[in-house]
């Protein structure tokens, strides 16, 4: 494991450090503030920068929707009056005749609170982002509405432009070495510097504090921000980070093959002749598995309530006897009943939860926590947040799992060298995922390639344990992760935290705090109290020295117990039942 990451893009970082370090006296000598429209001609740190939009926007109310609105994305939040800016920099001609640029989206509120927030991306990025600074655990709440200037970015490629159906579609950028580098972390410094320059030009002063907020791929970007660009950021809220994404993508291939073997044995074959991974377990089967986990581990925290608060004690050795009680007598599908799982289903589930390995038994990514969030019965049906990633929705007649639709193209184009050409249709992606060799995929993630001579692990993995360049400036980190996250393992995150703490001789708590969210899937969802405010804790810690403490979290409507509240405790504390109504956080204490 690397103990410290070198600074890259040195010239840009030097410029950024100068922007951060300018004394207050220099701010008073700055040029007169520019109007919103005038920012189109502002002097920028990177001379290649072009501002394509600079317009003043009036305040708008939150979008109103009917309860049965089918659109999958959330309604637009309320926005204050602000200056909206769209720009691009480092435009160039790249691989396969594609045009690439780093594009950014900045909103500068009229009623500015003096702070700047960098909004991380998600998935394979490639979209500009709304630059509102939303929080996965606080629907409808935005940093923009709180007065923060907010920037988002496409990370250096555009899904609408860099999209070749013969080369993984929106992951076409994986065939361009510089675009891969920018996706990994290279875009962060230039965009942060552009944002700071425009803030100074518009308001006449630099931001007092700069925050990075991101989850999933955005969480990986937040970790890269504090590790690679420590002089540009003061604090980071990091959610369920994909900081070992090159290896995590191999875990998705592993999962697909494990469940595909079950689907094939059960005769669940698609029209293209390939196993339907999503048919390996029905929703009812998932509920049987959840019941076994709860039977083994729910009571470990002192309260039987459908949540495994003491998740570190919920081991494979503890869970397997409970699974044995619900295992059918044999693997003949005719022996399958509503009250038992086939032995091969249990074996596949155990294989998946154990994590991917090479042929000689070397771990490739991580194992996973046994937790109740693999599926739960709610008023609207069985939760899908775990299975949609691990296998896919059961009803589909084609492979629809995110491990195939998102994992396979990313692994074949971005997280291996050299990239392979795989068509974006589901049959081609399924064929690649189910035929992949784990040892070869692992080796390919470590091959240096392209104009920058980088392996995928070089530009993607954010696992430095020496955070002193960030923390010596007073930098603070709050990190949270769902125990039932099916994409990035909480166990992997905790191993990194342990390594950081070991390097700090047990005193990492002075700059980093961690919250585990039992039952929560990838960023939200699952049988969990997944609505909470950690950002306010981060701001108070960084700006006022108030250390993070327990947080009250609430269960949403799509849980078995809407409105339930629980405490989220700074790890390694966990909630202990004291007295009172077990549906209320007040009945617990962090210990």
């Amino acid at each position: 494991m690397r103990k410290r990451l070198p600074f890259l893009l040195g010239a840009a970082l030097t410029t950024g450090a100068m922007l951060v370090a300018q004394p207050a006296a220099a701010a008073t000598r700055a040029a007169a503030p520019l109007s919103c429209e005038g920012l189109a001609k502002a002097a920028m740190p990177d001379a290649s920068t072009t501002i394509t939009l600079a317009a003043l926007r009036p305040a708008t109310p939150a979008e109103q929707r009917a309860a049965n609105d089918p659109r999958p994305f959330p309604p637009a939040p309320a926005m204050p009056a602000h200056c909206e800016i769209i720009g691009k920099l480092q435009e160039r001609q790249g691989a396969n005749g594609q045009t690439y640029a780093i594009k950014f989206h900045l909103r500068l509120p009229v009623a500015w609170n003096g702070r700047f927030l960098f909004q991380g991306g998600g998935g394979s990025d490639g979209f500009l982002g709304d630059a509102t600074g939303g929080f996965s655990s606080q629907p409808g709440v935005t940093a923009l509405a709180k007065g923060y200037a907010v920037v988002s970015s496409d990370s250096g490629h555009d899904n609408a432009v860099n999209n070749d159906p013969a080369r993984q579609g929106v992951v076409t950028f994986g065939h361009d070495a510089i675009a891969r580098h920018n996706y990994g972390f290279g875009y962060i410094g230039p965009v942060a510097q552009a944002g700071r320059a425009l803030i100074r030009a518009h308001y006449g002063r630099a931001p007092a504090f700069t925050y990075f907020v991101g989850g999933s791929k955005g969480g990986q970007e937040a970790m890269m921000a504090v590790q690679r660009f420590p002089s540009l950021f003061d604090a980071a809220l990091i959610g369920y980070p994909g900081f070992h994404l090159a290896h995590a993508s191999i875990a998705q291939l592993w999962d697909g093959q494990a469940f595909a073997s079950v689907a094939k044995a059960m005769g669940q074959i698609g029209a293209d002749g390939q196993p339907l991974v999503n048919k390996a377990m029905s929703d009812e089967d998932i509920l049987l598995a959840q019941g076994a986990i709860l039977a083994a581990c729910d009571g470990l925290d002192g309260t039987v309530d459908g949540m495994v608060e003491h998740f570190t004690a919920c081991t494979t050795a503890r869970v397997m006897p409970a699974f044995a009680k619900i295992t059918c007598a044999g693997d003949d599908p005719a022996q399958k009943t509503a009250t038992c799982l086939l032995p091969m289903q249990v074996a596949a589930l155990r294989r998946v939860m154990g994590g991917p390995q090479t042929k000689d038994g070397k771990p490739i990514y991580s194992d996973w926590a046994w937790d109740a969030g693999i599926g739960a019965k709610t008023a609207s049906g069985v939760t899908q947040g775990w299975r949609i990633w691990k296998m896919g929705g059961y009803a589909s007649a084609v492979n629809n799992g995110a491990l195939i639709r998102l994992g396979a193209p990313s692994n074949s184009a971005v997280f291996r060298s050299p990239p392979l050409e795989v068509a974006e249709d589901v049959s081609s992606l399924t064929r690649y995922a189910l035929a992949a060799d784990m040892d070869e995929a692992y080796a390919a993630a470590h091959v240096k390639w392209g104009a920058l001579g980088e392996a995928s692990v070089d530009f993607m993995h954010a696992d430095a344990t020496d955070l002193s360049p960030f923390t010596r400036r007073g930098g603070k980190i709050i990190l949270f992760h769902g125990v039932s996250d099916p994409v990035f393992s909480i166990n992997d995150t905790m191993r990194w935290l342990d390594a950081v703490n070991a390097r700090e001789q047990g005193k990492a708590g002075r700059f980093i705090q961690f919250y585990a969210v039992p039952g929560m899937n990838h960023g939200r969802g699952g049988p969990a109290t997944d609505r909470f405010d950690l950002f306010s804790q981060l701001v108070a810690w960084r700006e006022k020295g108030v250390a993070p403490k327990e947080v009250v979290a609430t269960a949403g409507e799509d849980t078995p117990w809407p409105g339930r509240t629980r405490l989220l405790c700074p790890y390694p504390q966990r909630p202990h039942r004291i007295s009172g109504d077990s549906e209320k956080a007040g009945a617990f204490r962090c210990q």
Side-chain angles (χ1 to χ4, degrees):
M1 179 179 288
R2 295 166 295 169
K3 298 303 181 184
R4 184 169 179 177
L5 291 171
F7 287 156
L8 298 186
L9 305 176
L13 280 172
T14 301
T15 304
M18 291 171 60
L19 284 169
V20 172
Q22 286 194 28
T28 63
R29 297 193 297 271
L34 295 177
S35 67
C36 180
E37 293 78 5
L39 291 175
K41 299 185 181 302
M44 300 297 291
D46 188 321
S48 71
T49 305
T50 300
I51 303 301
T52 57
L53 172 72
L56 194 60
R57 306 300 190 194
T60 55
E63 179 186 359
Q64 299 298 314
R65 291 187 186 173
N68 60 349
D69 193 300
R71 285 175 287 180
F73 50 88
M79 282 200 261
H82 66 279
C83 174
E84 182 181 17
I85 299 170
I86 295 176
K88 61 182 177 179
L89 62 155
Q90 299 179 13
E91 189 168 39
R92 60 186 176 82
Q93 293 299 304
N96 303 309
Q98 299 268 322
T99 299
Y100 287 93
I102 298 173
K103 299 175 184 176
F104 62 89
H105 192 185
L106 177 68
R107 297 187 195 270
L108 305 176
V110 172
W112 185 45
N113 67 9
R115 298 167 178 84
F116 180 31
L117 186 141
F118 197 121
Q119 173 182 319
S124 59
D125 287 348
F127 51 93
L128 201 53
D130 63 11
T132 62
F135 304 95
S136 64
S137 59
Q138 294 179 274
V141 176
T142 69
L144 182 68
K146 294 175 179 288
Y148 289 77
V150 181
V151 72
S152 59
S153 172
D154 65 1
S155 82
H157 63 275
D158 186 332
N159 288 343
V161 175
N162 308 121
N163 189 330
D164 183 345
R167 297 184 177 93
Q168 291 92 347
V170 297
V171 199
T172 295
F173 74 92
H175 296 263
D176 185 279
I178 296 173
R180 283 165 38 138
H181 172 91
N182 285 335
Y183 171 68
F185 69 89
Y187 88 98
I188 297 172
V191 169
Q193 292 163 23
R196 292 183 64 85
L198 289 164
I199 286 171
R200 178 180 285 277
H202 187 52
Y203 298 116
R205 57 190 173 99
F209 296 95
T210 300
Y211 295 89
F212 199 111
V213 174
S216 189
K217 174 59 173 66
Q220 177 264 357
E221 293 164 6
M223 290 179 70
M224 282 294 193
V226 303
Q227 293 174 22
R228 302 270 189 171
F229 308 97
S231 67
L232 296 179
F233 297 93
D234 298 295
L237 177 60
I238 303 174
Y240 41 101
F243 67 102
H244 281 145
L245 226 167
H247 291 167
S249 73
I250 301 173
Q252 294 183 335
L253 305 178
W254 175 271
D255 296 348
Q257 292 180 17
F259 286 126
S261 67
V262 175
K264 183 176 181 180
M266 296 177 70
Q268 296 285 5
I269 307 298
D272 59 2
Q274 298 180 88
L276 291 170
V277 177
N278 56 307
K279 299 288 191 181
M281 297 180 73
S282 67
D283 285 354
E284 291 71 24
D285 292 337
I286 292 289
L287 292 180
L288 281 176
Q290 188 215 25
I293 296 169
L294 288 172
C297 302
D298 191 359
L300 294 176
D301 54 23
T303 304
V304 177
D305 58 358
M307 299 178 74
V308 181
E309 298 280 7
H310 195 8
F311 68 94
T312 55
C314 191
T315 62
T316 299
R318 184 179 291 276
V319 166
M320 281 300 111
F323 271 96
K325 294 179 180 179
I326 61 164
T327 301
C328 307
D331 269 330
D332 183 348
Q335 295 177 288
K336 177 77 173 71
T337 71
T339 59
C340 71
L341 297 175
L342 296 172
M344 61 181 170
Q345 290 178 309
V346 175
L349 190 58
R350 182 171 181 175
R351 183 174 175 82
V352 165
M353 299 301 281
Q357 299 178 357
T358 60
K359 290 183 178 66
D360 61 3
K362 178 182 178 180
I364 291 175
Y365 172 56
S366 174
D367 58 349
W368 306 79
W370 291 100
D371 188 55
I374 65 171
K377 185 73 172 178
T378 73
S380 57
V382 178
T383 58
Q384 300 289 300
W386 187 87
R387 71 167 299 141
I388 200 63
W389 281 95
K390 290 294 189 183
M391 59 186 83
Y394 185 78
S396 177
V398 297
N399 276 301
N400 68 335
L403 77 169
I404 301 291
R405 298 297 184 95
L406 300 180
S410 294
N411 178 267
S412 57
V414 185
F415 303 133
R416 61 177 299 132
S417 300
L420 302 177
E421 292 189 359
V422 180
E424 67 172 339
D425 65 276
V426 67
S427 292
S428 297
L429 295 174
T430 303
R431 190 176 305 111
Y432 169 79
L434 300 188
D437 179 271
M438 300 302 132
D439 291 62
E440 191 275 335
Y442 180 73
H446 294 258
V447 172
K448 295 187 182 297
W449 172 81
L452 302 179
E454 288 182 320
S456 297
V457 295
D458 295 333
F459 61 77
M460 284 308 306
H461 286 192
D463 54 10
T465 58
D466 179 6
L467 304 180
S468 58
F470 175 69
T471 61
R472 73 166 61 106
R473 299 179 53 252
K476 305 294 184 188
I477 296 170
I478 290 182
L479 197 159
F480 67 98
H481 205 137
V483 181
S484 282
D485 190 319
V487 189
F488 304 124
S489 171
I490 190 173
N491 291 348
D492 192 43
T493 294
M494 292 174 66
R495 274 189 288 271
W496 176 74
L497 288 165
D498 287 343
V500 172
N501 198 40
R503 189 188 184 283
E504 297 294 327
Q505 300 181 323
K507 297 181 180 179
R510 61 188 172 84
F511 61 81
I512 188 167
Q513 289 290 340
F514 173 60
Y515 294 80
V517 189
M520 189 172 80
N521 299 144
H522 191 55
R524 63 177 69 85
T529 52
D530 64 350
R531 299 185 181 185
F532 47 84
D533 177 12
L534 288 175
F535 184 65
S536 295
Q537 297 265 336
L538 179 67
V539 172
W541 195 17
R542 178 61 184 87
E543 298 186 18
K544 299 179 181 179
V546 179
K549 54 186 179 180
E550 68 275 7
V551 174
V552 175
T554 304
E557 291 302 314
D558 192 24
T559 65
W561 358 259
R564 169 185 283 182
T565 57
R566 280 288 187 275
L567 294 180
L568 297 183
C569 304
Y571 188 82
Q573 297 180 52
R574 58 184 175 83
H576 290 255
R577 177 79 177 277
I578 305 301
S579 63
D581 184 355
S582 64
E583 293 300 297
K584 304 296 182 184
F588 298 82
R589 180 180 300 159
C590 289
Q591 294 178 347

